[in-house]
Amino acid sequence: MSFRTAFSQTQVFRSRLGKMASQLSRADTGGLSLSDLPKSNVFTSKLPPDPSFETPEASHRAQRERLYPRMVKGALFTFVRPETNEDPELLGVSSKAIQDIGLKAGEENTTQFKAVVSGNEFFWEEGRGGIYPWAQCYGGWQFGAWAGQLGDGRAISLFESINPMTNVRYEVQIKGAGRTPYSRFADGKAVLRSSIREYIVSEALSALGIPTTRALSLTLLPKARVLRERVEPGAIVCRFAESWLRIGTFDLPHSRGDRDLIRKLATYAAEDVFNGWESLPAAVSLGKDLPADTVEEPARGLPWDKIQKHQGVEENRFARLYREIARRNAKTVAAWQAYGFMNGVLNTDNTSIYGLSLDYGPFAFMDNFDPQYTPNHDDHMLRYSYKNQPSVIWWNLVRLGECLGELIGAGSQVDEETFVKQGVTEDAAPSLIKRAESIIERTGDEYRTVFLNEYKRLMSKRLGLQTQKESDFQDLFSELLDILEALELDFNHFFRRLSNVSLADLASETGRKGVAPIFFHAEGFGGIGYTEDSAKERIAKWLDKWRQRVLEDWGPENDAGAKRQKAMKEVNPKFLPRSWILDEIIDRVERRGDRDILRRAMNMALNPFDEEWGLNQEEEERFCGDVPRFQRAMMCSCSS
Ligand code: AMP
Ligand code: MG
């Protein structure tokens, strides 16, 4: 298929989408079948394919071995086909993901759904066309070092779907689908263990309101025996995202000096991932120009070719794109910090352009609060520990700034023919570099501001506050974290338990000291140098400050107490898929043939703020209770 036919195919799907949308608004069926779901292939029709297999036919006719690992240049993807799998068993679906992508409930029971999510079927036929699957090409900085070409080594994108109800387009991908040109020395497979983890955590983060890639389904491949530290069962997660572009997608063409490809990719990101150049943020004032706590929401809607002169520096549309990516990541990492989530491997190839939490390897939710904690067993330098996440994401964004440096540094010359064709002249280079540097630096300030504002917003909500005060950061947030760290208390349990506290119980010092132990573990508290009394006293002191702030915000508690408690429970989850719970689920599915546990756990992950789930009360309470003492702050290796 040539570029042109591929593109017109996209148009066909678009017009089908129009028809579908009007049908839907009439019938309101609440979802479509998989075959009726509107599909497109904007990615493969607009971006350059692997020159060795320019068309689906060329790839399809090639022997599978020819699609095995090698260097791919000047391209952003290769057409590839998933390996077929015998007797796949669909272990579970996320009902929320089914709904969000636009499928109808029960669609997962169809033969077609099961075949597609296990890699056994895709929407293309020789001679008839359709949409051919692809693997993306990218590179990355891993643990601070340049790693060269990486790419989708075991993930294969099947098609883009468009939910006609929301108009949101997703790229649907299966992970663990077999080798691609980007598999390097690995096997293209995913083990059940890590697939269960990704399946559940994707949906848990989404339910918490944290931007993330999604998981539609989990399929067991009983015939695939995958060798890791031991032989393990294989599995496929069918996942989807608004975009799978990563900072690493820009890193690779940058490392090869491929300026045309960077420009094409940036243009694709702005026009086809975000809602067009016009949706990107106009220049904002930051830092010295504004009081510390002010959030300035940037205006949007500038014409695509508008050059804004801001504080003496010209900002073109590529600078706006860079800032949008930084702003999105700032908000996402703020949410990770506020909910104690760690990705574990924040390499640039795992950092999303769209600001999504992405690629779940050795991730974890915080148990006892410990800023030094990393769930990654191999991260000896603690590079990706909890406290480093905000700065490491900024480090990654600086790499992106370098990739986009020429485009953002060119200012108003960015569309001049000689610049587009040949790049910057030697004479103009110093001023271009200076402009790029000052934009990157200012974006750093913006990243920091957006991060802090979002972090404060979320922490205030978690503490049941309706307003924000300058002093909250020190008096409430920092002091709370210090207490949790010093007494080795559970981070997320604290917020949920606090949600249930009544101010009336905190009116006196005795009352506050009486409440304090609800935050202890069953065996008490940890830390050095505290007695039971001094531990209670420190918590009581904090509770007093918190009580005063809640009073300021809500007034004396009567009805307001119930309202405040409800508001807090809506942001403080009772259930989170902690590492020990995931381990138990994995063990039960893998070794004891339990299947229903997946359904129950997914139900909890999708409704994390509920008080009870009504499926298995004993288990629910256990999963929401104390983390067993010797299973706290677990670590896992990267082998997945
Ligand atoms: P990750 O650590 O999962 O983000 O993976 C880093 C890179 O290694 C990506 O390019 C993956 O596609 C690739 N990779 C990881 N595991 C495998 C595997 N089992 N087979 C092929 N490629 C893999
Ligand atoms: Mg990755």
Side-chain angles (χ1 to χ4, degrees), residues 169-195:
R169 186 173 69 214
Y170 295 108
E171 187 172 326
V172 181
Q173 196 170 76
I174 48 179
K175 182 170 174 181
R179 282 216 263 177
T180 76
Y182 310 104
S183 303
R184 298 185 292 162
F185 32 79
D187 58 6
K189 307 223 185 286
V191 293
L192 179 61
R193 166 175 51 88
S194 60
S195 305

PDB file of all heavy atoms in Angstrom, residues 169-195:
ATOM      1  N   ARG A 169      -9.313   9.301  19.897  1.00  0.00           N
ATOM      2  CA  ARG A 169      -8.647   8.267  19.103  1.00  0.00           C
ATOM      3  C   ARG A 169      -7.557   7.601  19.937  1.00  0.00           C
ATOM      4  O   ARG A 169      -6.789   8.275  20.618  1.00  0.00           O
ATOM      5  CB  ARG A 169      -8.014   8.897  17.861  1.00  0.00           C
ATOM      6  CG  ARG A 169      -7.436   7.836  16.931  1.00  0.00           C
ATOM      7  CD  ARG A 169      -6.953   8.429  15.634  1.00  0.00           C
ATOM      8  NE  ARG A 169      -5.782   9.251  15.843  1.00  0.00           N
ATOM      9  CZ  ARG A 169      -5.517  10.350  15.143  1.00  0.00           C
ATOM     10  NH1 ARG A 169      -6.337  10.765  14.218  1.00  0.00           N
ATOM     11  NH2 ARG A 169      -4.424  11.025  15.389  1.00  0.00           N
ATOM     12  N   TYR A 170      -7.528   6.280  19.909  1.00  0.00           N
ATOM     13  CA  TYR A 170      -6.514   5.528  20.645  1.00  0.00           C
ATOM     14  C   TYR A 170      -5.726   4.653  19.685  1.00  0.00           C
ATOM     15  O   TYR A 170      -6.278   4.167  18.697  1.00  0.00           O
ATOM     16  CB  TYR A 170      -7.161   4.613  21.682  1.00  0.00           C
ATOM     17  CG  TYR A 170      -7.884   5.310  22.800  1.00  0.00           C
ATOM     18  CD1 TYR A 170      -9.274   5.289  22.868  1.00  0.00           C
ATOM     19  CD2 TYR A 170      -7.183   5.974  23.799  1.00  0.00           C
ATOM     20  CE1 TYR A 170      -9.944   5.913  23.912  1.00  0.00           C
ATOM     21  CE2 TYR A 170      -7.851   6.606  24.837  1.00  0.00           C
ATOM     22  CZ  TYR A 170      -9.228   6.570  24.892  1.00  0.00           C
ATOM     23  OH  TYR A 170      -9.902   7.178  25.916  1.00  0.00           O
ATOM     24  N   GLU A 171      -4.455   4.433  20.019  1.00  0.00           N
ATOM     25  CA  GLU A 171      -3.672   3.443  19.281  1.00  0.00           C
ATOM     26  C   GLU A 171      -3.715   2.160  20.103  1.00  0.00           C
ATOM     27  O   GLU A 171      -3.310   2.145  21.263  1.00  0.00           O
ATOM     28  CB  GLU A 171      -2.234   3.951  19.105  1.00  0.00           C
ATOM     29  CG  GLU A 171      -1.391   3.067  18.202  1.00  0.00           C
ATOM     30  CD  GLU A 171      -0.023   3.703  17.885  1.00  0.00           C
ATOM     31  OE1 GLU A 171       0.067   4.953  17.771  1.00  0.00           O
ATOM     32  OE2 GLU A 171       0.956   2.946  17.772  1.00  0.00           O
ATOM     33  N   VAL A 172      -4.235   1.106  19.504  1.00  0.00           N
ATOM     34  CA  VAL A 172      -4.453  -0.153  20.216  1.00  0.00           C
ATOM     35  C   VAL A 172      -3.282  -1.095  19.935  1.00  0.00           C
ATOM     36  O   VAL A 172      -2.909  -1.307  18.781  1.00  0.00           O
ATOM     37  CB  VAL A 172      -5.785  -0.808  19.772  1.00  0.00           C
ATOM     38  CG1 VAL A 172      -6.022  -2.109  20.519  1.00  0.00           C
ATOM     39  CG2 VAL A 172      -6.947   0.163  19.982  1.00  0.00           C
ATOM     40  N   GLN A 173      -2.754  -1.646  20.994  1.00  0.00           N
ATOM     41  CA  GLN A 173      -1.486  -2.360  20.894  1.00  0.00           C
ATOM     42  C   GLN A 173      -1.550  -3.661  21.691  1.00  0.00           C
ATOM     43  O   GLN A 173      -2.199  -3.709  22.724  1.00  0.00           O
ATOM     44  CB  GLN A 173      -0.453  -1.423  21.541  1.00  0.00           C
ATOM     45  CG  GLN A 173       0.967  -1.703  21.263  1.00  0.00           C
ATOM     46  CD  GLN A 173       1.889  -0.581  21.745  1.00  0.00           C
ATOM     47  OE1 GLN A 173       2.128  -0.490  22.944  1.00  0.00           O
ATOM     48  NE2 GLN A 173       2.426   0.211  20.849  1.00  0.00           N
ATOM     49  N   ILE A 174      -0.882  -4.695  21.188  1.00  0.00           N
ATOM     50  CA  ILE A 174      -0.762  -5.890  22.016  1.00  0.00           C
ATOM     51  C   ILE A 174       0.695  -6.051  22.437  1.00  0.00           C
ATOM     52  O   ILE A 174       1.618  -5.895  21.640  1.00  0.00           O
ATOM     53  CB  ILE A 174      -1.296  -7.164  21.303  1.00  0.00           C
ATOM     54  CG1 ILE A 174      -0.750  -7.279  19.882  1.00  0.00           C
ATOM     55  CG2 ILE A 174      -2.814  -7.166  21.290  1.00  0.00           C
ATOM     56  CD1 ILE A 174      -1.225  -8.526  19.152  1.00  0.00           C
ATOM     57  N   LYS A 175       0.890  -6.332  23.721  1.00  0.00           N
ATOM     58  CA  LYS A 175       2.250  -6.442  24.260  1.00  0.00           C
ATOM     59  C   LYS A 175       2.539  -7.897  24.597  1.00  0.00           C
ATOM     60  O   LYS A 175       1.781  -8.525  25.339  1.00  0.00           O
ATOM     61  CB  LYS A 175       2.377  -5.573  25.511  1.00  0.00           C
ATOM     62  CG  LYS A 175       3.763  -5.583  26.132  1.00  0.00           C
ATOM     63  CD  LYS A 175       3.869  -4.509  27.202  1.00  0.00           C
ATOM     64  CE  LYS A 175       5.187  -4.593  27.954  1.00  0.00           C
ATOM     65  NZ  LYS A 175       5.265  -3.566  29.001  1.00  0.00           N
ATOM     66  N   GLY A 176       3.641  -8.388  24.025  1.00  0.00           N
ATOM     67  CA  GLY A 176       3.990  -9.792  24.192  1.00  0.00           C
ATOM     68  C   GLY A 176       3.626 -10.570  22.945  1.00  0.00           C
ATOM     69  O   GLY A 176       3.350 -11.766  22.988  1.00  0.00           O
ATOM     70  N   ALA A 177       3.651  -9.853  21.808  1.00  0.00           N
ATOM     71  CA  ALA A 177       3.087 -10.386  20.571  1.00  0.00           C
ATOM     72  C   ALA A 177       4.122 -11.046  19.653  1.00  0.00           C
ATOM     73  O   ALA A 177       3.786 -11.478  18.561  1.00  0.00           O
ATOM     74  CB  ALA A 177       2.392  -9.261  19.811  1.00  0.00           C
ATOM     75  N   GLY A 178       5.362 -11.080  20.083  1.00  0.00           N
ATOM     76  CA  GLY A 178       6.377 -11.723  19.245  1.00  0.00           C
ATOM     77  C   GLY A 178       7.446 -10.749  18.793  1.00  0.00           C
ATOM     78  O   GLY A 178       7.335  -9.546  18.998  1.00  0.00           O
ATOM     79  N   ARG A 179       8.476 -11.316  18.145  1.00  0.00           N
ATOM     80  CA  ARG A 179       9.643 -10.500  17.794  1.00  0.00           C
ATOM     81  C   ARG A 179       9.374  -9.502  16.678  1.00  0.00           C
ATOM     82  O   ARG A 179       8.558  -9.749  15.782  1.00  0.00           O
ATOM     83  CB  ARG A 179      10.788 -11.416  17.394  1.00  0.00           C
ATOM     84  CG  ARG A 179      11.434 -12.008  18.633  1.00  0.00           C
ATOM     85  CD  ARG A 179      12.902 -12.140  18.428  1.00  0.00           C
ATOM     86  NE  ARG A 179      13.213 -13.498  18.000  1.00  0.00           N
ATOM     87  CZ  ARG A 179      14.449 -13.885  17.689  1.00  0.00           C
ATOM     88  NH1 ARG A 179      15.448 -13.025  17.705  1.00  0.00           N
ATOM     89  NH2 ARG A 179      14.662 -15.122  17.342  1.00  0.00           N
ATOM     90  N   THR A 180      10.075  -8.397  16.734  1.00  0.00           N
ATOM     91  CA  THR A 180      10.002  -7.348  15.719  1.00  0.00           C
ATOM     92  C   THR A 180      11.445  -6.926  15.406  1.00  0.00           C
ATOM     93  O   THR A 180      12.378  -7.375  16.091  1.00  0.00           O
ATOM     94  CB  THR A 180       9.239  -6.112  16.251  1.00  0.00           C
ATOM     95  OG1 THR A 180      10.120  -5.391  17.137  1.00  0.00           O
ATOM     96  CG2 THR A 180       7.966  -6.479  16.993  1.00  0.00           C
ATOM     97  N   PRO A 181      11.630  -6.028  14.448  1.00  0.00           N
ATOM     98  CA  PRO A 181      13.001  -5.555  14.202  1.00  0.00           C
ATOM     99  C   PRO A 181      13.606  -4.864  15.421  1.00  0.00           C
ATOM    100  O   PRO A 181      14.805  -4.583  15.449  1.00  0.00           O
ATOM    101  CB  PRO A 181      12.815  -4.555  13.058  1.00  0.00           C
ATOM    102  CG  PRO A 181      11.571  -4.998  12.360  1.00  0.00           C
ATOM    103  CD  PRO A 181      10.681  -5.538  13.439  1.00  0.00           C
ATOM    104  N   TYR A 182      12.783  -4.586  16.420  1.00  0.00           N
ATOM    105  CA  TYR A 182      13.258  -3.817  17.575  1.00  0.00           C
ATOM    106  C   TYR A 182      13.427  -4.676  18.832  1.00  0.00           C
ATOM    107  O   TYR A 182      13.554  -4.150  19.936  1.00  0.00           O
ATOM    108  CB  TYR A 182      12.282  -2.655  17.836  1.00  0.00           C
ATOM    109  CG  TYR A 182      12.017  -1.894  16.567  1.00  0.00           C
ATOM    110  CD1 TYR A 182      10.812  -2.039  15.866  1.00  0.00           C
ATOM    111  CD2 TYR A 182      13.006  -1.080  16.010  1.00  0.00           C
ATOM    112  CE1 TYR A 182      10.596  -1.371  14.665  1.00  0.00           C
ATOM    113  CE2 TYR A 182      12.798  -0.415  14.804  1.00  0.00           C
ATOM    114  CZ  TYR A 182      11.588  -0.576  14.138  1.00  0.00           C
ATOM    115  OH  TYR A 182      11.389   0.078  12.951  1.00  0.00           O
ATOM    116  N   SER A 183      13.422  -5.988  18.651  1.00  0.00           N
ATOM    117  CA  SER A 183      13.495  -6.866  19.831  1.00  0.00           C
ATOM    118  C   SER A 183      14.909  -7.019  20.366  1.00  0.00           C
ATOM    119  O   SER A 183      15.109  -7.637  21.413  1.00  0.00           O
ATOM    120  CB  SER A 183      12.942  -8.259  19.501  1.00  0.00           C
ATOM    121  OG  SER A 183      11.622  -8.168  19.033  1.00  0.00           O
ATOM    122  N   ARG A 184      15.893  -6.487  19.636  1.00  0.00           N
ATOM    123  CA  ARG A 184      17.301  -6.646  20.018  1.00  0.00           C
ATOM    124  C   ARG A 184      17.593  -8.114  20.315  1.00  0.00           C
ATOM    125  O   ARG A 184      17.299  -8.967  19.525  1.00  0.00           O
ATOM    126  CB  ARG A 184      17.628  -5.712  21.193  1.00  0.00           C
ATOM    127  CG  ARG A 184      17.437  -4.242  20.785  1.00  0.00           C
ATOM    128  CD  ARG A 184      17.845  -3.297  21.850  1.00  0.00           C
ATOM    129  NE  ARG A 184      16.941  -3.392  22.980  1.00  0.00           N
ATOM    130  CZ  ARG A 184      17.197  -2.962  24.196  1.00  0.00           C
ATOM    131  NH1 ARG A 184      18.362  -2.400  24.441  1.00  0.00           N
ATOM    132  NH2 ARG A 184      16.332  -3.087  25.162  1.00  0.00           N
ATOM    133  N   PHE A 185      18.135  -8.416  21.500  1.00  0.00           N
ATOM    134  CA  PHE A 185      18.519  -9.805  21.775  1.00  0.00           C
ATOM    135  C   PHE A 185      17.424 -10.563  22.525  1.00  0.00           C
ATOM    136  O   PHE A 185      17.633 -11.657  23.006  1.00  0.00           O
ATOM    137  CB  PHE A 185      19.818  -9.818  22.588  1.00  0.00           C
ATOM    138  CG  PHE A 185      19.900  -8.625  23.481  1.00  0.00           C
ATOM    139  CD1 PHE A 185      19.190  -8.597  24.663  1.00  0.00           C
ATOM    140  CD2 PHE A 185      20.633  -7.496  23.116  1.00  0.00           C
ATOM    141  CE1 PHE A 185      19.203  -7.477  25.469  1.00  0.00           C
ATOM    142  CE2 PHE A 185      20.648  -6.363  23.925  1.00  0.00           C
ATOM    143  CZ  PHE A 185      19.940  -6.359  25.108  1.00  0.00           C
ATOM    144  N   ALA A 186      16.228  -9.977  22.621  1.00  0.00           N
ATOM    145  CA  ALA A 186      15.178 -10.612  23.433  1.00  0.00           C
ATOM    146  C   ALA A 186      14.137 -11.320  22.563  1.00  0.00           C
ATOM    147  O   ALA A 186      14.229 -11.322  21.335  1.00  0.00           O
ATOM    148  CB  ALA A 186      14.533  -9.586  24.328  1.00  0.00           C
ATOM    149  N   ASP A 187      13.143 -11.925  23.220  1.00  0.00           N
ATOM    150  CA  ASP A 187      12.267 -12.866  22.522  1.00  0.00           C
ATOM    151  C   ASP A 187      10.915 -12.310  22.079  1.00  0.00           C
ATOM    152  O   ASP A 187      10.108 -13.030  21.496  1.00  0.00           O
ATOM    153  CB  ASP A 187      12.033 -14.099  23.419  1.00  0.00           C
ATOM    154  CG  ASP A 187      11.430 -13.702  24.771  1.00  0.00           C
ATOM    155  OD1 ASP A 187      11.097 -12.507  24.950  1.00  0.00           O
ATOM    156  OD2 ASP A 187      11.299 -14.579  25.639  1.00  0.00           O
ATOM    157  N   GLY A 188      10.645 -11.040  22.381  1.00  0.00           N
ATOM    158  CA  GLY A 188       9.369 -10.460  21.953  1.00  0.00           C
ATOM    159  C   GLY A 188       8.174 -10.909  22.780  1.00  0.00           C
ATOM    160  O   GLY A 188       7.034 -10.625  22.436  1.00  0.00           O
ATOM    161  N   LYS A 189       8.455 -11.623  23.853  1.00  0.00           N
ATOM    162  CA  LYS A 189       7.343 -12.155  24.658  1.00  0.00           C
ATOM    163  C   LYS A 189       7.230 -11.432  25.996  1.00  0.00           C
ATOM    164  O   LYS A 189       8.171 -10.785  26.450  1.00  0.00           O
ATOM    165  CB  LYS A 189       7.571 -13.642  24.925  1.00  0.00           C
ATOM    166  CG  LYS A 189       7.815 -14.440  23.664  1.00  0.00           C
ATOM    167  CD  LYS A 189       7.048 -15.728  23.720  1.00  0.00           C
ATOM    168  CE  LYS A 189       7.327 -16.631  22.542  1.00  0.00           C
ATOM    169  NZ  LYS A 189       6.699 -16.178  21.313  1.00  0.00           N
ATOM    170  N   ALA A 190       6.083 -11.566  26.594  1.00  0.00           N
ATOM    171  CA  ALA A 190       5.882 -11.026  27.941  1.00  0.00           C
ATOM    172  C   ALA A 190       5.415 -12.165  28.827  1.00  0.00           C
ATOM    173  O   ALA A 190       4.671 -13.039  28.375  1.00  0.00           O
ATOM    174  CB  ALA A 190       4.835  -9.923  27.917  1.00  0.00           C
ATOM    175  N   VAL A 191       5.866 -12.166  30.071  1.00  0.00           N
ATOM    176  CA  VAL A 191       5.439 -13.240  30.970  1.00  0.00           C
ATOM    177  C   VAL A 191       4.126 -12.845  31.659  1.00  0.00           C
ATOM    178  O   VAL A 191       3.800 -11.664  31.765  1.00  0.00           O
ATOM    179  CB  VAL A 191       6.526 -13.570  32.029  1.00  0.00           C
ATOM    180  CG1 VAL A 191       7.737 -14.177  31.360  1.00  0.00           C
ATOM    181  CG2 VAL A 191       6.906 -12.344  32.848  1.00  0.00           C
ATOM    182  N   LEU A 192       3.429 -13.864  32.135  1.00  0.00           N
ATOM    183  CA  LEU A 192       2.140 -13.634  32.789  1.00  0.00           C
ATOM    184  C   LEU A 192       2.285 -12.689  33.982  1.00  0.00           C
ATOM    185  O   LEU A 192       1.492 -11.767  34.170  1.00  0.00           O
ATOM    186  CB  LEU A 192       1.557 -14.988  33.234  1.00  0.00           C
ATOM    187  CG  LEU A 192       0.219 -14.922  33.962  1.00  0.00           C
ATOM    188  CD1 LEU A 192      -0.853 -14.310  33.082  1.00  0.00           C
ATOM    189  CD2 LEU A 192      -0.207 -16.315  34.425  1.00  0.00           C
ATOM    190  N   ARG A 193       3.336 -12.933  34.761  1.00  0.00           N
ATOM    191  CA  ARG A 193       3.578 -12.141  35.973  1.00  0.00           C
ATOM    192  C   ARG A 193       3.554 -10.635  35.678  1.00  0.00           C
ATOM    193  O   ARG A 193       2.789  -9.871  36.266  1.00  0.00           O
ATOM    194  CB  ARG A 193       4.946 -12.591  36.502  1.00  0.00           C
ATOM    195  CG  ARG A 193       5.604 -11.769  37.531  1.00  0.00           C
ATOM    196  CD  ARG A 193       6.895 -12.488  38.007  1.00  0.00           C
ATOM    197  NE  ARG A 193       7.806 -12.916  36.937  1.00  0.00           N
ATOM    198  CZ  ARG A 193       8.776 -12.160  36.407  1.00  0.00           C
ATOM    199  NH1 ARG A 193       8.943 -10.923  36.806  1.00  0.00           N
ATOM    200  NH2 ARG A 193       9.575 -12.636  35.458  1.00  0.00           N
ATOM    201  N   SER A 194       4.368 -10.188  34.727  1.00  0.00           N
ATOM    202  CA  SER A 194       4.435  -8.742  34.475  1.00  0.00           C
ATOM    203  C   SER A 194       3.193  -8.256  33.735  1.00  0.00           C
ATOM    204  O   SER A 194       2.803  -7.096  33.851  1.00  0.00           O
ATOM    205  CB  SER A 194       5.701  -8.391  33.700  1.00  0.00           C
ATOM    206  OG  SER A 194       5.702  -9.057  32.467  1.00  0.00           O
ATOM    207  N   SER A 195       2.551  -9.163  32.992  1.00  0.00           N
ATOM    208  CA  SER A 195       1.336  -8.761  32.281  1.00  0.00           C
ATOM    209  C   SER A 195       0.192  -8.511  33.263  1.00  0.00           C
ATOM    210  O   SER A 195      -0.580  -7.568  33.098  1.00  0.00           O
ATOM    211  CB  SER A 195       0.937  -9.835  31.267  1.00  0.00           C
ATOM    212  OG  SER A 195       2.026 -10.102  30.404  1.00  0.00           O
TER     213      SER A 195
END
